[in-house]
Structure formats: C-alpha cells, structure tokens
Amino acid sequence: MSDYKMNTKCVQGGYTPGNGEPRQIPIVQSTTFKYATSEDMGKLFDLEASGYFYTRLQNPTNDMVAAKICDMEGGTAAMLTSSGQAANFYAVFNIANCGDHVVASSTIYGGTYNLFHVTMRKMGIDFTFVSPDCTEEELNAAFQPNTKAVFGETIANPALTVLDIEKFAKAAHAHGVPLIIDNTFATPVNCRPFEWGCDIVTHSTTKYMDGHGAGVGGCIVDSGKFDWLAHAGKFPGLTTPDDSYHGITYAEKFGQGGAFITKCTAQLMRDFGSIQSPQNAFLLNLGLESLHVRMARHCENALAVAHYLKTHPKISFVTFPGLEGDKYYELAQKYLPNGTCGVVSFGFKGGRAAAETFMKHLKLAAIETHVADARTCTLHPASATHRQMNDQELAAAGITPDLVRFSCGIEDAADLIADIEQALAHV
Ligand SMILES: *Cc1c(COP(=O)(O)O)cnc(C)c1O
C-alpha cells in the first residue's frame, strides 16, 4: 500500500486478501497457535522464524491493523497496545531505564504528564519539562549526559499548542537521542511527524482513529530512521545482547527498521502484557477506514465554531490552531496545512459562572471527559477533571476557571452553532 495516497491507505492498508479470502480483516479470536513439532515452535521463541504462538506477544488481527497505521505514518514497524497510556509508557521505557533522563514538552496530555512526573519517576527515570515555545538554547540546556529521548505532542491535548517538530528533532539529534511524538490529535491524515525528523510516533487510538467512542487502544510506530548502533553506548538495550531473549542483539538482528518494535514486543509486551484485544483491533480498523473523511469534517466544523465564537460578545477568548490570529496558526500552517483537529477551547467574559451556565444549557453537545468522537462532546475542566484545583493551581496548569473544551464531532456545523447560540443566550 506504500505507493498509494493517504485516503487509500486508510481504507485498504494493512490487509490484502488472497483469492477467496475474507474481504474484511478476520478477527483471530485465539489465545494460541498450533505447531507440528517442538522444533518449529523453538524457532519462534528464539526469534529465528516469524510466526504466532501466543496473543500476548502477537496476534494476526492486531498486526494487520498495526501495519495499516504503520503505512499511514510512513514507518517501518508498528505495534498496537491496550491504550494510549500503554503506548507512551512502552515507547519511553523501551529506551530509558532507571537512572536515565527524558526531555518532554510541558503541555502534554495530563495522563502522560502524570505517567512521567509521578509514576516513571518512581521507577528512577527523571524528566525535565520544557515549554514547547522555548528557544533552541533553552531546549539544548535541558539535556543531560543520561538523556535518552525527547517527547512532545503534535497538537497538545487539551492545551492545543502546536509542536515545532523540526526544532525538537534538531535538538534531539544533536544530543544523539530520538524524538518521540504523540500524534493523537493530528492523526497521520493531518500530520506525518516522520517527514519532519521525528523518530517514533505514538497514538491513543481511542480518539480520532477509533472515532466512535467504541474501544480504548494505542499504537507505537517506528520510522526506522534512528541509528541505534551509531549511539550504541546510550542504548545498550538495543545494541548489546538481551539475556532474557537468548542473547539476541536487537539492532543487529532486526536492523534499524525493526529493532525498536521487536524489542518493545519481545520484552515489554511479554512482561507487562498491555495488549489490545483482537475484537478492539477490528473496531479500530473500522474507524480507520473512514478516518480521512471524518478528519476533514471535524476540522471544518471546529473552524466554523471557532469563527462563530471569535466575534461573540460574551466570549473572552478562543483557542484553535486552525484559526487565523491564533498563537499557533503559523506553526499549524507549516505542519498541518490541511487541518488541525476538531477541538476548540474558549472562555467567557462572565468567568466561571458563565461557563457553568453555558454547560448546563447545551442540548446536542454532551458533557464527557472524552474528546475526538464522532459526536460532539464538551468539558468544563474547572468543574470536572481539574475540580480539586483552586484558581491559582488552575492558572499554573494553563487552565482558566472559565475555560470550556469543545470537541466538535461530525454533525452539521449549523446545528452545533445553533446549540452553542441557544446555550449562550442563557449566559
Ligand atoms: C487520551 C490521550 C492519551 C491517553 O490515551 P488512552 O487511550 O486514554 O490511554 C495519550 N495522549 C493523548 C494526546 C491523548 O489525547
């Protein structure tokens, strides 16, 4: 599928049935796979032959869907995980061990921030958070001799900052480490980070990729561009023998294109087991088949909503990187020229009380912690996800008490605006 355009990859990537085989990808609902001899199976365990033996490590349905996402991102290898959280944990932990350090953008998703700042710190991995808007000097100053990766989000959830991917890639490579980017909000339809120097991409497939609020999932894709052997001293897990896998050296045996994902599967999925179920992978694939069509509508609706709110007398600010005048509009034009995402955030001249009244009167937009669904959903963080924080703590987290996050679905924009208009009339 690699020669086809994105729209075709979304629909047909990852699986090409042979004569008389099912048109839709089969759900291989089996934990295990049968072999004729112990020798046959032994070769699989030694990673001498490729094949399936236990679904915790690999499953054909999952591999077809991972291959589609790999193709869409333009990578060399990919794997599905049970959630976006698992994808980000595995992607970082695959190369950063106890005693290591990672540089991360400060505006990343709250769940990822918590994973890094609290849980992975307990594992002995240190993080330095830098503003996505930092200068090259500030960025370079964040590196330490034990730094193993740089992490950011193409479009941050929910801050809606756009990462200057080239700036972050340049700094990462100058220090001999890969750039990992969570591409959840942009999806490969709107941005392919590998084309800008990123080395590894992660996804919460729970969001636009699934798109229907049906299944939680994640994915990791390797660009195959990072030369582990050229920085062998920094990445012993990839460049020295793995005693837990019969002395295999991943970077030598699987090359630059396969080492990262093979190690991640053979070690981390083996030991932690955060697999996506084949049923969920099937649902994810159904979502991917229409991703290119849905993303365009999400972006179109979000732009219409942002334009409407921008001039409304009761609205104090609108944040949407696709809106001219937005702080990240120029970066969005560079990295996401065909559209950004469907999420818009805005505030009220009437403050927190106005936001609460607005939320109460919405009819079509549902109050949910979810985003990036076909159905429009919205959240007032100060009274939901961030309700334990006082106004000062909210400000430090970049959230004002009046901020509403509005995730535009793929309904008719006129209906979304009418819903907003009638709710605003009560404010
Ligand atoms: C939701 C989200 C995650 C976490 O994904 P889950 O599938 O909920 O575990 C990670 N990164 C971003 C950008 C997200 O929006």
Side-chain angles (χ1 to χ4, degrees), residues 40 65 121 129 156 222 229 252 310-311 325 350 399 411 427:
D40 287 346
V65 181
R121 269 196 215 277
F129 295 94
D222 182 12
L229 288 167
E252 282 169 5
K310 186 77 192 164
T311 53
I399 292 163
E411 304 93 338
V427 171

Side-chain angles (χ1 to χ4, degrees), residues 364-382:
L364 194 56
I367 296 174
E368 294 172 19
T369 53
H370 195 39
V371 286
D373 189 40
R375 289 147 293 210
T376 295
C377 49
T378 182
L379 186 78
H380 177 223

Side-chain angles (χ1 to χ4, degrees), residues 96-225:
N97 297 314
C98 181
D100 288 341
H101 171 260
V102 173
V103 175
S105 162
S106 60
T107 55
I108 53 176
Y109 173 67
T112 311
Y113 180 77
N114 208 64
L115 167 70
F116 291 173
H117 184 61
V118 180
T119 302
M120 289 185 79
R121 269 196 215 277
K122 287 184 192 160
M123 303 168 82
I125 301 169
D126 195 18
F127 290 82
T128 298
F129 295 94
V130 294
S131 163
D133 308 332
C134 65
T135 63
E136 286 191 32
E137 293 71 45
E138 286 165 337
L139 184 52
N140 285 320
F143 286 80
Q144 302 176 7
N146 58 342
T147 301
K148 297 300 167 76
V150 178
F151 185 95
E153 291 176 13
T154 314
I155 305 172
N157 171 17
L160 303 177
T161 56
V162 175
L163 195 75
D164 188 343
I165 303 175
E166 284 188 320
K167 178 176 79 181
F168 275 73
K170 189 177 158 201
H173 297 159
H175 292 86
V177 302
L179 172 62
I180 304 172
I181 289 188
D182 181 332
N183 197 31
T184 298
F185 263 32
T187 84
V189 170
N190 283 344
C191 180
R192 303 213 306 169
F194 294 158
E195 292 172 358
W196 302 98
C198 164
D199 302 286
I200 291 145
V201 154
T202 61
H203 283 281
S204 165
T205 62
T206 315
K207 311 293 165 53
Y208 290 115
M209 284 189 167
D210 171 277
H212 299 78
V216 173
C219 184
I220 309 171
V221 189
D222 182 12
S223 68
K225 286 184 193 161

Side-chain angles (χ1 to χ4, degrees), residues 284-319:
L284 168 58
N285 185 58
L286 283 184
L288 290 170
E289 287 181 5
S290 63
L291 181 67
H292 55 302
V293 182
R294 288 184 289 108
M295 282 314 287
R297 178 61 69 88
H298 280 294
C299 294
E300 188 186 310
N301 284 357
L303 189 60
V305 164
H307 272 301
Y308 170 78
L309 291 167
K310 186 77 192 164
T311 53
H312 198 286
K314 291 178 183 174
I315 296 298
S316 57
F317 70 87
V318 179
T319 304

